[in-house]
Amino acid sequence: MKKFYITTPLYYVNDQPHIGHAYTTILADVLARYHRSLGEDVYFLTGTDEHGQKIQHAAEKRGVDPQQHADEYVLHFTSMWEKLHIKYDGFIRTTEKRHTDRVKDVLNDFYERGEFYMAEYEGLYSVSEERFVTEKEVEEGGFREVIQLKEKNYFFKMSKYQDALIRHIKENPDFIIPSSRQNEILGFLKKPLGDLCISRPKSRLKWGIELPFDKEYVTYVWFDALLNYITAIEWKTDEACFNKWWPVDLQLMGKDIITTHAVYWTTMLMALGLPLPKSILAHGWWLSGGSKMSKSLGNVVRPLDLIDEYGVDPVRYFLMRDMVLGLDSTFTMDAFIRRYNSDLANDFGNLINRVTILIKKNFDGKIPEPGEFNLTDKELIDEAGRIPAEIHLLIDALKLSDAIETTTSLFRKLNVYLEKKAPWKAVKEDRSPKSSAATTMYVSANVLLIGARLLSPVMPSRIKDILSLLGSTSDNQAGYDFGLLTPGTIVGESRSPFPRIILDD
RNA sequence: GGCGGCGUAGCUCAGUAGGUUAGAGCAGUGGAAUCAUAAUCCACGUGUCCGGGGUUCGAAUCCCUGCGCCGCUACCA
């Protein structure tokens, strides 16, 4: 059986989840569901990153200890995922023993094999921010109490993997997606790669995994967190499990942390002697009014607010449909409502009503027995037969937006088909089994079923209702073949799954 | 500063081996229909493919250049 291992980054628990977290996680969920629907064995991993300066800081601010802070904040994420209908297979927290023990193994291993060395680093340090800053950052301002600081730390010999990394990226065009990011990383790697500082002295940061070979230091949070992708699947503790899932098929992240993954994570894996991820994907940001959403700008769109108002599935649909892979996208209520009304209310929802009501009124609510298919029937049936394969190609190419648009086009074709065959007229002539009207409704319901099932990964909850409305009972029955709804299948009462949004202004 | 990318209909975007009248969805206008959520269907775009130059029989697609926008530029997540 084909496997599919997909990950989101581990989210930092210093703040509440926002639309960026939600987007990445929904994207992972949708892809995971698509792959499950193809019968693949899927492992979808997400979790939280709980060490480091910012957590310590956030905890201090609230007057609690860091672990308690993390324990509370992780719930914001898990409850958000529940509300967004995220069906993950694994959830890992970097403060769990199964993770910290393995991180220590790696640290020891690297230490013993000479992947680390100690060196003194001297640079500009902001006492107020408690971190080193670059000259550029200082020039841009915003940092107070900047001093020159010398500090001894451990470094990972990342630089020695530079050539291997460049070669791997060039030889594997799917390694970094989209290609614009790949160019960026390659451009970045034209300059000599430095080594990575992987420790922090306890004198200025206590909240982290202690270096097993030097109790004066904790581990740099990224070095710790990135390892979750292998610790969560039982690296070193369950070989069969690890070998089943590794290497990971797809790692999702926002464009802001692509370098961390493409360079740090990748070279860490090289040092570990493990195969590299098949693909890492950097997606864009959701903007609001042309700017990145930020609390200081006061333009944050809270996913939960939208969900409360319009439901989870329309929000998932919008986020998947309106962002083009790799590009930033602007979120506006206007765009959301336009998309909802045109695609979900007008095309899809109205079609569900059309079909079910016609069957209800004219065929006692049962899928009628079809007669011989004429050219018009055949054209639509052929189309419905072609589209699933087309969509699977688009999904493989990670073109979610196009895949959804393709499904919508099937609904539009079904609407055209109905206009052509006008069953509401034909039924006046003949409504007996195998009549033109009977055939039309049989074909319509079955094509609608295919289209609905193609959207199931995007809108699992509403589609489940729609499928049962159409008389499709089991959750994941065989493929996307035409004709699963056999004559006699009872069609339910439509409750307009996507009521049109009308704004009063 | 260095490296890289982008600029296609009102809006969001396709258009990667240069080739007949440049496409889709949405929005807009007119019409048809009335089974359906005032939903649906049909028809309608004189778009300088950012400007300029060049290569070519022929360029949105290649090269140069000007303007505008953006990304990356290690120890910030």
Side-chain angles (χ1 to χ4, degrees), chain A residues 212-279:
Chain A
F213 46 85
D214 191 335
K215 302 203 178 320
E216 296 305 310
Y217 292 89
V218 295
T219 312
Y220 170 49
V221 65
W222 270 113
F223 191 87
D224 153 11
L226 287 166
L227 289 166
N228 90 86
Y229 301 127
I230 58 173
T231 62
I233 52 167
E234 304 290 339
W235 173 67
K236 281 191 120 177
T237 53
D238 182 341
E239 204 175 336
C241 174
F242 181 73
N243 289 337
K244 174 179 178 182
W245 298 113
W246 196 259
V248 58
D249 294 85
L250 182 60
Q251 302 204 268
L252 304 179
M253 67 207 67
K255 62 183 184 182
D256 48 337
I257 54 172
I258 184 66
T259 305
T260 321
H261 284 78
V263 181
Y264 303 178
W265 174 225
T266 307
T267 52
M268 283 165 68
L269 285 168
M270 286 176 167
L272 281 167
L274 289 173
L276 303 184
K278 290 182 190 159
S279 292

Side-chain angles (χ1 to χ4, degrees), chain A residues 14 22 70 90 115 135 169 174 228 245 254 273 394 413 422 501 503:
Chain A
N14 66 329
E115 291 286 344
E135 283 183 26
I169 295 171
D174 287 337
N228 90 86
W245 298 113
L394 290 169
K413 277 165 186 147
I501 299 171
L503 292 181

Side-chain angles (χ1 to χ4, degrees), chain A residues 129 131 133-144 146:
Chain A
E129 282 286 308
R131 69 170 176 94
V133 292
T134 62
E135 283 183 26
K136 193 183 165 194
E137 282 177 314
V138 175
E139 282 166 25
E140 285 168 352
F143 291 97
R144 291 169 298 133
V146 176

Side-chain angles (χ1 to χ4, degrees), chain A residues 330-351:
Chain A
T330 301
F331 185 96
T332 63
M333 274 316 289
D334 193 50
F336 173 77
I337 291 170
R338 258 209 319 266
R339 178 63 71 195
Y340 176 97
N341 277 342
S342 76
D343 286 14
L344 296 180
N346 297 354
D347 282 340
F348 188 29
N350 179 53
L351 189 56

Side-chain angles (χ1 to χ4, degrees), chain A residues 77 93 116 141 163 467-468:
Chain A
F77 286 86
R93 302 175 56 186
F116 292 152
D163 291 342
L467 294 183
S468 82

